[in-house]
Amino acid sequence: FCLSDSFTARVLWKLLETVKFGDTVSYQQLAALAGNPRAARAVGGAMRSNPVPILIPCHRVVCSSGAVGNYSGGLATKEWLLAHEGHLAGKPTSPGGSHPAGTRRGVRGGRN
């Protein structure tokens, strides 16, 4: 990215390397992975500035409440992408598995 050392670049990189096909992560969990657990709103801003939303899968970032959240391609597109990957509405899963965060493979130190 041309955002080299910014928080946005760290967020997008963590999303790309950590949250795999079929997984989701909450804005708060992703903020913690990027080094600032109190920056959940800034993660939303990073998602909005994602230059390649399909390659850097911002559709996998959801609300910790279980709400799908926003998506630049529209809510219907985000819901379709999540369903296509096998994740339907509900709590975020942990990166690396399709189990609800905080159960089997939750993000270390993250809260739902």
Side-chain angles (χ1 to χ4, degrees):
F1 320 128
C2 54
L3 311 166
S4 64
D5 196 28
S6 68
F7 181 72
T8 295
R10 283 195 315 270
V11 166
L12 294 175
W13 182 250
K14 282 295 178 184
L15 174 62
L16 185 60
E17 75 176 2
T18 307
V19 186
K20 303 302 179 196
F21 187 93
D23 289 340
T24 57
V25 66
S26 73
Y27 293 93
Q28 183 180 4
Q29 289 170 327
L30 188 52
L33 288 170
N36 189 347
R38 299 179 57 106
R41 290 177 62 92
V43 167
M47 297 303 99
R48 282 190 298 280
S49 64
N50 181 353
V52 282
I54 293 296
L55 297 178
I56 302 173
C58 57
H59 65 276
R60 295 179 185 152
V61 182
V62 298
C63 301
S64 57
S65 67
V68 175
N70 294 319
Y71 184 64
S72 60
L75 181 60
T77 302
K78 183 171 185 172
E79 289 173 339
W80 184 89
L81 287 165
L82 291 171
H84 172 72
E85 293 186 8
H87 181 80
L88 302 175
K91 294 276 187 183
T93 59
S94 63
S98 58
H99 304 283
T103 59
R104 216 165 66 136
R105 294 188 198 169
V107 175
R108 289 183 199 106
R111 297 178 77 192
N112 294 342

